[in-house]
Amino acid sequence: MSAEQARGATWDTAAPPELLRRAGELAEQDPAAAVRLLGALTGATTELPPWLAGARLVAGLPAGSWARRTVRLAVLGSHTTGHLVPLLRLAAAAHGIALDLYEAPYGQYQLEVLDPQSPLHAFRPEVVLLAVDQREARFPAHSATPAQDLEAEAARWRSLWSALRDDLGALVLQTTFVPPVDDEFGSFAVALPGARRRQLRALNLALGDDLPPGVHLVDAEAVAATAGARTYADERYWFLSKHAVGLGALPLLARAVTQVLAAAVGLQRKVVVCDLDGTLWGGVVGEDGVGGVLVGDGPAGEAFQAFQEHLRRLQQRGVLLAVVSKNNDADARAPFEQRPEMRLGLEHFAAFLATWEPKADQIARLAGELGLGLDSFVFVDDNPVEREQVRRALPEVGVVALPADPAGFVRALAEFPGMETASLTEEDARRTSSYRARAEVARARDGAGSREEFLAGLEMVLTVEPVGEDNLRRVVQLIGKTNQFNLTTRRHTEAAVRELAARPGAVAQALRLRDAHADHGLIGVLLAVPEESDLVVDTWLMSCRVLGRGLEGPALAGLLEAARRDGRRRLVGVHVPSGRNEPAARAFADAGFVPDGAADADGSTRWVHQVSGDPLPGPPVLIDLTPVVDLTAGAPRPRSLEDPCPTTSTTA
Amino acid sequence: MPHDVDDRLTRVFREVLADPGLELHDDLTAESVPAWDSLAHVGLMFSIESEFGIVFSDTEMSGFGTVGELRRAVERKVS
């Protein structure tokens, strides 16, 4: 694709100056490749000068040429953020995020939040970073009433968050408080109720308890521990220029902030694709035999075990694991079946591909089977040649530069952009079984009868329920991250969903699907608002896990029922091309709607269905509308949304 | 040794101020280099400390009037 390929460069092993030089050369002809090099830079060093140079390069690239997503980020600091802001731009680029940035004047964060006329409000950020240091926590050196002081301080920060969420509809990120190293109590502070050090730690945990949706903490204490406490808080730079975070710690802080940012906007990686030989165990199973591979014996063997345990914990967190190995299938499986030292079992993998095909081909096919975009994937392989081939063939896939020593594998994967999460839902934990079922279904489809027979054999049950407190977190998560089957790609915040759902005549529904293979959990969202005699679909999205099943018509059954109940004449919908939602272009047609006029200049198409018209087409699906329709039954119903938070002038 | 300090200082200045053609001389002041504002000055101080493994005093960090004064302070500290 580019000069860097022609030169046979291996990004993994390049030093920071080399990465910068090549990125600079590529900036004009291939900005996306330049950004990938700069992403590698953020993993290769935490030194300030190369980060500043990389940040300048990113700032000069047109975002449209490389970014997965542009985010409007406002940085509100209690301290000087002039160096942090450009570093955030670089760290975000490692996630494929382009930042539109607003930096509030030093120390004015409270005014900016509370004044509706402030530049912050005019900027209309999607995300606000509160970069506040421990001096802002209003604790005395030794509190006489620790519990009350703690509660009051936690409440003060929560009220600032509500202002940001309600007035601006922004996601909020806040750095936790890092206690100073040097105080009058030292270690005794840990045991002394009311000591400031103890209060600050308690405050971090108190803020983490009961964190409202849309608010995320950045663990600055962990950043300080990684950087070294005296590097993190270098008093000389506080006195010189009010840099509360030392310049030597800023690259690490920028990395931590953007890990949370990426997860908060739904750009986290979802699948870890692992090689086997040299990655999950030492040696080559096809040559050394199942008894000869190294796992769990001696330092390297224990390091492989530790890496397996890390992967297993990721899997329990909701990340999908897959094996892509150049091996005979039986050889590849043998250690999992026969070696008791193994910490991963075959059941932990959503897919297991051991063939002699190029790995990039296998990963691309896997993405198709799982119905996930390639940018959801991370590839982990000890072999730099395999890594380079995957990088070149599939630039969207994240490729982890594993170090030579297995003891460093966990760190390399944990630090990789996109490997953090911002929330856990029940659906996350259920995902492996659902995706495994999907992969099996994809294979079954190749060999089994007609599509109709196949779909009938799935015995699908689709449940329509109102959007409520119990499912709101997952609904907002889906709205934030669904790209393919997303008709309008309107990234509503939680506050916006609440507002929309509360409008008179509005309909907000969530869809669940289970079938003979798996319970897929909450897989769809529908938001619709009345316009005269029409019910207009504002948002319709479905998880890519359940695409290709002819669910378009059944998915709208609940909306149609609501329209009928409310006496609407027509259901109206629109498809707005986003560049990534081509799979949804025919959604309304497949659901039996007819086009309403020609496409707009931007390619948007409008569709209508008469409420009194034909039933919506679809395969055999049992549609359970009781949660939204049966108002009289005694069955427990999901908690409905509480009144939307009181907002400013615009609500009626 | 002095030449070594000059080269390394020049490299740091060029990196931090993003000015690959910048030439240092002893009479140069912050006012005469547009990119050398107060924020960039802090980045310079930090990067020079890191490059040479030295520590400026609190007074020095905000007190250098010219590149010459800065260079002599660095030479004193590394010798």
Side-chain angles (χ1 to χ4, degrees):
Chain A
M1 183 210 311
S2 58
E4 133 236 340
Q5 292 191 354
R7 204 177 292 119
T10 307
W11 299 5
D12 283 347
T13 51
E18 178 69 3
L19 289 167
L20 276 170
R21 194 182 57 74
R22 277 193 220 146
E25 287 171 4
L26 287 168
E28 286 208 357
Q29 66 185 89
D30 192 349
V35 166
R36 284 196 296 280
L37 289 167
L38 294 172
L41 177 79
T42 66
T45 180
T46 56
E47 297 286 325
L48 182 70
W51 270 69
L52 287 175
R56 279 193 294 264
L57 276 173
V58 171
L61 299 172
S65 61
W66 60 269
R68 294 159 78 190
R69 176 93 175 261
T70 298
V71 171
R72 296 172 66 77
L73 173 70
V75 179
L76 306 188
S78 71
H79 47 88
T80 303
T81 49
H83 284 106
L84 176 62
V85 164
L87 301 185
L88 288 172
R89 195 188 289 287
L90 175 64
H95 294 265
I97 298 174
L99 292 181
D100 274 347
L101 281 160
Y102 168 70
E103 183 187 4
Y106 153 73
Q108 295 186 15
Y109 68 98
Q110 293 173 88
L111 287 172
E112 291 262 330
V113 175
L114 300 175
D115 174 10
Q117 305 301 321
S118 69
L120 171 70
H121 285 251
F123 177 69
R124 305 191 58 79
E126 294 166 77
V127 183
V128 173
L129 170 65
L130 284 167
V132 287
D133 86 301
Q134 54 87 16
R135 294 171 183 84
E136 295 301 298
R138 295 181 187 164
F139 290 131
H142 187 188
S143 166
T145 52
Q148 292 94 312
D149 288 3
L150 181 63
E151 189 37 55
E153 189 59 12
R156 196 169 71 84
W157 289 103
R158 287 196 200 103
S159 73
L160 203 61
W161 298 342
S162 333
L164 286 167
R165 290 182 335 124
D166 298 347
D167 299 351
L168 289 166
L171 294 174
V172 180
L173 273 51
Q174 176 164 341
T175 56
T176 58
F177 299 99
V178 181
V181 186
D182 305 303
D183 64 29
E184 66 279 30
F185 293 118
S187 290
F188 181 49
V190 178
L192 180 64
R196 187 176 163 86
R197 183 186 293 194
R198 197 178 139 102
Q199 291 287 84
L200 288 168
R201 289 187 179 152
L203 177 58
N204 289 337
L205 300 180
L207 292 176
D209 287 340
D210 222 8
L211 207 56
V215 179
H216 306 277
L217 296 180
V218 178
D219 192 352
E221 273 194 286
V223 174
T226 309
R230 291 190 201 284
T231 300
Y232 186 86
D234 186 336
E235 293 294 313
R236 296 184 314 128
Y237 284 90
W238 172 254
F239 300 138
L240 175 66
S241 52
K242 297 295 171 283
H243 277 75
V245 182
L247 277 71
L250 284 175
L252 280 170
L253 182 63
R255 258 192 351 207
V257 168
T258 53
Q259 282 281 28
V260 178
L261 171 68
V265 302
L267 287 182
Q268 68 270 47
R269 307 277 183 175
K270 298 169 190 158
V271 189
V272 175
V273 177
C274 302
D275 167 58
L276 295 177
D277 295 325
T279 301
L280 294 191
W281 55 69
V284 178
V285 66
E287 292 170 12
D288 304 327
V290 61
V293 297
L294 179 64
V295 56
D297 184 24
E302 289 195 24
F304 284 115
Q305 259 182 338
F307 187 48
Q308 291 191 16
E309 278 166 9
H310 180 68
L311 289 166
R312 197 177 64 190
R313 286 191 290 266
L314 283 175
Q315 189 264 340
Q316 283 161 353
R317 196 196 83 188
V319 171
L320 298 176
L321 303 182
V323 163
V324 168
S325 167
K326 286 183 178 168
N327 256 316
N328 293 324
D329 189 65
D331 287 344
R333 290 172 190 268
F336 294 98
E337 293 161 343
Q338 297 174 36
R339 289 289 297 266
E341 303 95 328
M342 293 284 288
R343 292 295 182 263
L344 282 168
L346 293 170
E347 72 276 14
H348 296 117
F349 295 98
F352 195 99
L353 302 178
T355 76
W356 297 94
E357 289 175 60
K359 293 194 176 182
D361 295 355
Q362 300 194 49
I363 294 171
R365 196 168 54 244
L366 187 60
E369 283 183 5
L370 296 175
L372 288 168
L374 282 166
D375 65 358
S376 311
F377 283 68
V378 165
F379 177 60
V380 182
D381 195 317
D382 68 304
N383 182 340
V385 176
E386 297 285 2
R387 297 202 291 260
E388 196 63 20
Q389 285 173 352
V390 168
R391 228 180 240 127
R392 290 182 182 192
L394 306 173
E396 306 94 327
V397 172
V399 178
V400 181
L402 283 187
D405 194 341
F409 287 6
V410 171
R411 173 177 166 184
L413 181 57
E415 285 186 343
F416 194 78
M419 288 308 297
E420 290 196 13
T421 189
S423 66
L424 283 185
T425 66
E426 285 173 39
E427 321 304 333
D428 287 325
R430 204 179 294 158
R431 228 182 259 157
T432 293
S433 64
S434 175
Y435 275 101
R436 193 189 296 133
R438 184 185 158 114
E440 283 164 11
V441 163
R443 277 173 215 138
R445 187 161 48 206
D446 296 338
S450 72
R451 181 168 180 273
E452 286 69 26
E453 287 166 1
F454 165 78
L455 289 176
L458 288 177
E459 299 170 16
M460 292 185 279
V461 180
L462 185 72
T463 306
V464 186
E465 64 186 35
V467 172
E469 295 298 339
D470 292 328
N471 56 27
L472 187 60
R473 183 171 281 231
R474 170 69 175 162
V475 163
V476 174
Q477 192 187 51
L478 274 178
I479 288 175
K481 73 182 184 184
T482 305
N483 294 316
Q484 294 184 326
F485 194 102
N486 192 337
L487 275 295
T488 54
T489 321
R490 292 174 189 151
R491 304 290 190 195
H492 295 304
T493 59
E494 185 213 339
V497 174
R498 285 178 185 276
E499 185 276 324
L500 192 150
R503 290 186 211 168
V507 183
Q509 295 176 342
L511 308 174
R512 290 181 185 275
L513 184 75
R514 61 178 196 273
D515 61 31
H517 298 283
D519 182 347
H520 298 275
L522 203 155
I523 49 85
V525 176
L526 282 156
L527 306 176
V529 292
E531 270 179 26
E532 297 171 3
S533 63
D534 294 339
L535 185 62
V536 179
V537 182
D538 171 273
T539 292
W540 176 16
L541 56 87
M542 294 202 286
S543 163
C544 45
R545 283 183 263 169
V546 299
L547 299 191
R549 294 170 171 234
L551 286 174
E552 287 81 358
L556 296 179
L559 271 196
L560 188 61
E561 185 57 36
R564 188 174 290 130
R565 178 195 64 202
D566 297 342
R568 311 279 173 214
R569 202 164 52 82
R570 306 187 305 172
L571 262 184
V572 176
V574 60
H575 172 257
V576 184
S578 68
R580 302 184 67 178
N581 65 352
E582 179 59 24
R586 292 207 39 86
F588 282 111
D590 292 340
F593 282 49
V594 296
D596 182 22
D600 289 351
D602 68 353
S604 296
T605 49
R606 202 176 144 88
W607 303 81
V608 297
H609 180 78
Q610 301 294 331
V611 171
S612 60
D614 294 333
L616 302 174
V621 179
L622 180 61
I623 302 173
D624 179 6
L625 293 178
T626 38
V628 283
V629 173
D630 188 0
L631 302 175
T632 55
R637 301 180 58 231
R639 278 182 294 152
S640 65
L641 283 179
E642 290 154 12
D643 288 338
C645 314
T647 50
T648 46
S649 51
T650 51
T651 40
Chain B
M1 190 63 177
H3 286 299
D4 179 51
V5 169
D6 281 346
D7 291 348
R8 288 163 74 187
L9 263 187
T10 303
R11 182 162 47 75
V12 172
F13 266 82
R14 288 177 176 178
E15 266 182 13
V16 174
L17 302 181
D19 183 351
L22 183 67
E23 293 293 342
L24 297 186
H25 52 86
D26 277 2
D27 299 331
L28 194 68
T29 60
E31 290 71 34
S32 54
V33 182
W36 190 351
D37 58 15
S38 59
L39 195 68
H41 180 75
V42 178
L44 273 177
M45 291 297 106
F46 176 82
S47 302
I48 293 167
E49 287 189 340
S50 306
E51 170 70 26
F52 293 96
I54 58 175
V55 176
F56 293 124
S57 73
D58 298 350
T59 315
E60 283 171 331
M61 284 205 286
S62 57
F64 293 118
T66 64
V67 165
E69 289 174 32
L70 171 63
R71 182 177 57 78
R72 284 188 289 277
V74 172
E75 283 170 356
R76 206 167 49 241
K77 286 170 195 288
V78 296
S79 61

